[in-house]
Every structure is written in C-alpha cells, then in structure tokens.
Amino acid sequence: MSERPNSKPETGAFFGRDRAWHAPAFTPGYKTSVLRAPQRALLSLDGTISETTGPVFGHSMIGELDNDLILNYARPGESAIGERIIVHGRVLDERAKPVAGALVEFWQANAGGRYRHKKETYLAAIDPNFGGCGRAITDEEGRYHFRTVRPGAYPWPNGVNDWRPAHIHFSIFGHGFAQRLITQMYFEGDPMIWKCPIVGTIPDKAAIEQLIAPLDWGNTIPMDSRAYKFDIVLRGRRSTMFENRLEGN
Amino acid sequence: MQQLGYLKETPSQTAGPYVHIGLTPNFCDITGVYDSDLGAEMVNDKTLGERITVTGRIFDGAGALVRDAVVEIWQADSAGLYNSPSEMRGAADPNFTGWGRCPTRAEDGVYSFETVKPGSVPFKDGRKQAPHITFWIVARGINIGLHTRMYFPEEAEANANDPLLLRIEHRERVATMIASRDGATCHFDIHLQGPKETVFLDI
C-alpha cells in the first residue's frame, strides 16, 4: 500500500449508488440468487470515513507477467492455446475522472470454456499452460491492459440448456471501500449475451451494453493479437464544499 | 438546459462460483502466478493493538452454508486510523494493512481473519462510532456485493450510542451486527436471508 504520486487525495463521500441501474438481489431467472438475496431493505448510510477510505496497492506488488495470461502459468517456452487478444481500457469515476492506482484483477475460463477450479467438471479439456488469473494497477490516466486468450462459452446447471457467453470477470478497487466492484466483461457481437440469465439480471439494456467490450481494430497488433477495449466506471465522489461543517461553525 | 455530464457506474455482476481463480488463486491450487494470495496477512510482529481472530460462516435462506463466498474486511487500526491515502487525521500503523480477504472453506464454510481490534472512528457529525469492521461479501448468486458491519459485544455502551446502530428501526435486528466473543476470537455469522437476516447496508 502506498501513496499515489502527484495526486491530492480526495475525501468526499461517494455519489449514491443507482440500484435501479444495477441488478436487484432477487432475480429468479438466475436460480442461485433466490436463496442468497436479502429480503429486508438495505439500511442506507451516507459515507462515513469507514466507507470513503479504502486500501490502495503499490505498483511494486505487480509481477512482470501478472498481466499476461498467455505466459503467466505456461511452462518455459510454451504458451496458452486460443485466440490471442489484448484487453485494455481505463478506470474512470462517474465524473469521468481517471482513477489512478486502481487495482484491477481478472479471471476467466480457457479457450474451450473450462475453468481451472476443482469444483468445475465440464468435459472440455484443461489447458496445461493456462491458469486464468491476472492483475494490473492503473496508471496516472487510469489505464490498464492485459494479454490473454479469448475465453470460450460454457454450459452451467441453471436452466436445462443455459450457456454463459464468453466473458472475463473483473474485480476493481477504487480509492474508497464503497467503490468496491465485481463485474463481467462480454465481447461485441456475441449472440449468447442476450440469452444469458446472469446478464439478464440487469434490468436496463443500456446498462448491459456498458459491459460489452467493442473490438478495437486500431489497437490490434498485426499477425499477433486482436484488441478489445473495456472502460470501467466507478462511483464518483462529492467535492467537500460543505462537508462536515457543524452548525454554528 | 446544461447537461450534468456524469457517467453511469459500471453495473455489478455476480462473482460466480470460481471467484477464487481471480482473487485467491493459491487457495484453489493455482500456484506459481502470485507468491501469496492478496489480503491473507493483515498484521505482522510489530502491529500495535489487541490481537483478535474474526471468524464465522455465511448461511443462505434455507440455512445451508455458503461454501463458495469470498469475504473482504476493511477496518481502522487500534488507534482508529485507516491505512488509506484518504485518511487525513494522521498516519495509521504502518504494520497494519486494515484490509483482508478470505474465502469461506469448501469443507465447513468458515472464513477467518487474524487482525487487531479497531479503535473508534468519528461519524460525519463528530459523534463517536463504536469500534467496527466493515464487511463485503461476494459469491455465486449474489448479484452485487453485500456490505455490512461487525460490532463487538464487550462495547455495549458504545454500541448503544453508535449512530448507525441507532438507525435500525427494528431493534431486535441490531444483534445481527454484533459478534459473539470467546477470548480473542470473535464469531460473526452472516445470514443472507430469512428470520435471522443480517442487516446489510447501502453505503
């Protein structure tokens, strides 16, 4: 954990979360949510220092291959099998300000849709050179990037014939614990997106579109890797114009 | 009329059943990528304050253990300071991260943190908040991470005056945010749904 260079920390509370934009907790089309959704209303709390602060991670914790899923689990001289892609983008807040020093973690299945996890029993093969995890910390302009193989779709026991679209899971830390976010990135043009009960937990089509990364032809490396651009927006925070001014002060 | 020009927050999605691959790869036998799982160690030999273990389980609405969750906690140090660049009141204990991450174990659904008891921190209006630890829970079936807080049973007077606990309308629910304590071990079970449902926060 370390200070971010050249930036004055902000201390304001975060914009309230628009919970009509996010999925509700209870979404019976996604069956596991039925017994894991709180039934009582959430207790609202405008940001205290317990929520406006959060851990910040130093660039020094990132290893050389942490953002290269093609190589970070591969045996020497070998590499993961699949369509080689670069995923890059910026982490911004709702004010469109870059979030510098944000830790971005990502995980995914291999090119055949198989996760490296002991609970996973899908018959598609494990790739001996693919682990499926990576991480990066955003630069001063909020940029991150990583290299991987495009994950495959995979079936899951929800409906009789439900398949997840190709997706990469993302976990993001902003500057305050109230910004903590986990989400999933989908790929432009994938017809599976609109059949998926997990995607369908999100009520607003415009919100779903925010999770679909376009093919970024300009950043595609000829004879090597195609590129997808995925920007992430975290909650904005209020300026501290009149914060914490007690009556009479 | 002018446009406000704000962006919309990226919508949350479930962390899914294989969240461990990304957040705690060593825990699920993906070794050699990271030296250790992030958030596994919050304290070291020099950390100031009273050492405690915070442990518990998570239950679904049928009373079944949630064995595939990941729990993160965030808390002040023993002096009530956060190890964060946004902490303006002073420098927190450099030997305490304030943040931890732990999966619930597949066998028994238990999570566990070795940490210190946090000091009191002020509410926005200057009142004292009782010592507390902020929790964030993600899992398969949870569409957006659930926030709650854990308070300490030996802090009865501070808890009775805590600005957040005072806002809980149904007073019998206050108990869902207070751990039980056995020596240095705080037990804090979380119930996602049903009669014993934990109070969750929109923070």
Side-chain angles (χ1 to χ4, degrees):
Chain A
M1 313 219 173
S2 66
E3 296 280 342
R4 298 182 303 285
N6 306 319
S7 69
K8 185 170 173 241
E10 295 185 290
T11 58
F14 292 96
F15 294 172
R17 202 162 233 166
D18 180 356
R19 289 183 180 267
W21 180 252
H22 290 281
F26 179 74
T27 49
Y30 174 26
K31 293 183 179 178
T32 314
S33 76
V34 171
L35 283 171
R36 294 186 174 194
Q39 292 169 314
R40 308 278 195 121
L42 303 179
L43 180 67
S44 297
L45 178 70
D46 187 34
T48 75
I49 193 167
S50 305
E51 294 81 35
T52 59
T53 56
V56 171
F57 302 90
H59 288 269
S60 59
M61 67 170 264
I62 301 292
E64 191 185 353
L65 293 179
D66 282 7
N67 70 341
D68 189 343
L69 282 69
I70 289 180
L71 294 182
N72 71 11
Y73 194 79
R75 292 180 288 234
E78 300 186 16
S79 60
I81 289 172
E83 298 179 30
R84 297 159 63 89
I85 60 170
I86 291 164
V87 178
H88 75 105
R90 298 176 77 198
V91 179
L92 306 168
D93 76 8
E94 288 170 297
R95 302 166 299 174
K97 284 193 172 187
V99 184
L103 175 65
V104 183
E105 298 164 287
F106 20 86
W107 67 100
Q108 63 170 89
N110 70 21
R114 176 73 185 265
Y115 283 95
R116 184 177 287 279
H117 194 286
K118 52 195 156 204
K119 280 182 61 188
E120 161 73 285
T121 55
Y122 182 34
L123 45 76
I126 287 276
D127 178 346
N129 291 307
F130 187 75
C133 62
R135 60 187 178 186
I137 289 182
T138 59
D139 69 11
E140 286 301 302
E141 292 175 316
R143 291 179 305 216
Y144 73 91
H145 66 274
F146 61 98
R147 187 168 76 150
T148 187
V149 293
R150 180 176 164 130
Y154 76 92
W156 59 300
N158 188 64
V160 172
N161 189 24
D162 279 337
W163 291 70
R164 298 301 325 281
H167 63 278
I168 300 176
H169 297 265
F170 277 72
S171 164
I172 309 101
F173 287 82
H175 297 163
F177 204 56
Q179 288 177 302
R180 199 73 184 81
L181 182 72
I182 279 182
T183 189
Q184 301 182 29
M185 180 199 109
Y186 304 100
F187 291 83
E188 178 188 357
D190 185 346
M192 303 297 296
I193 294 170
W194 307 104
K195 299 178 184 295
C196 175
I198 288 179
V199 174
T201 62
I202 298 173
D204 191 325
K205 185 167 187 290
I208 294 171
E209 295 280 358
Q210 201 175 348
L211 299 181
I212 303 175
L215 178 65
D216 177 3
W217 200 245
N219 271 303
T220 288
I221 303 173
M223 305 301 286
D224 185 338
S225 305
R226 287 177 301 160
Y228 285 86
K229 185 165 190 283
F230 186 59
D231 287 343
I232 296 159
V233 180
L234 303 179
R235 295 165 69 178
R237 67 195 306 164
R238 301 201 295 264
S239 50
T240 48
M241 292 177 281
F242 294 94
E243 297 274 348
N244 305 323
R245 184 184 292 180
L246 299 176
E247 291 296 322
N249 283 8
Chain B
M1 191 171 68
Q2 295 185 2
Q3 298 295 310
L4 282 167
Y6 295 121
L7 304 176
K8 292 297 287 183
E9 188 186 10
T10 297
S12 174
Q13 289 262 266
T14 180
Y18 309 127
V19 56
H20 315 102
I21 294 172
L23 302 191
T24 56
N26 292 286
F27 171 83
C28 68
D29 302 327
I30 298 176
T31 56
V33 182
Y34 310 147
D35 291 341
S36 60
D37 287 337
L38 205 57
E41 304 287 338
M42 300 177 70
V43 296
N44 62 36
D45 294 345
K46 296 180 197 152
T47 307
L48 303 173
E50 177 191 349
R51 299 301 176 103
I52 57 171
T53 301
V54 175
T55 186
R57 298 164 296 173
I58 302 174
F59 296 92
D60 73 11
L65 287 170
V66 176
R67 303 164 190 267
D68 52 12
V70 168
V71 181
E72 291 186 6
I73 63 172
W74 173 242
Q75 65 165 100
D77 68 10
S78 60
L81 293 168
Y82 284 98
N83 189 347
S84 167
S86 303
E87 173 60 86
M88 295 289 118
R89 298 169 300 147
D93 182 351
N95 293 300
F96 182 61
T97 68
W99 174 78
R101 172 188 278 169
C102 185
T104 54
R105 289 191 300 239
E107 315 85 74
D108 55 9
V110 171
Y111 72 85
S112 182
F113 296 95
E114 300 302 318
T115 183
V116 294
K117 183 173 174 182
S120 174
V121 301
F123 198 59
K124 292 163 69 76
D125 58 9
R127 280 183 292 167
K128 279 180 114 174
Q129 302 190 74
H132 63 269
I133 296 176
T134 298
F135 274 65
W136 188 69
I137 300 136
V138 293
R140 174 174 66 101
I142 296 177
N143 291 325
I144 183 165
L146 295 169
H147 283 282
T148 186
R149 283 183 178 184
M150 186 200 99
Y151 289 83
F152 293 83
E154 70 275 18
E155 297 283 348
E157 189 182 340
N159 291 343
N161 294 301
D162 180 79
L164 182 144
L165 294 178
L166 282 170
R167 284 168 58 174
I168 298 175
E169 180 184 357
H170 301 97
R171 299 306 297 163
E172 75 283 1
R173 300 195 71 210
V174 171
T176 70
M177 299 181 86
I178 300 176
S180 63
R181 199 159 168 172
D182 177 13
T185 302
C186 300
H187 293 276
F188 186 56
D189 285 346
I190 292 159
H191 296 267
L192 299 180
Q193 189 187 86
K196 292 190 276 186
E197 186 174 307
T198 301
V199 173
F200 295 105
L201 305 173
D202 186 9
I203 62 175

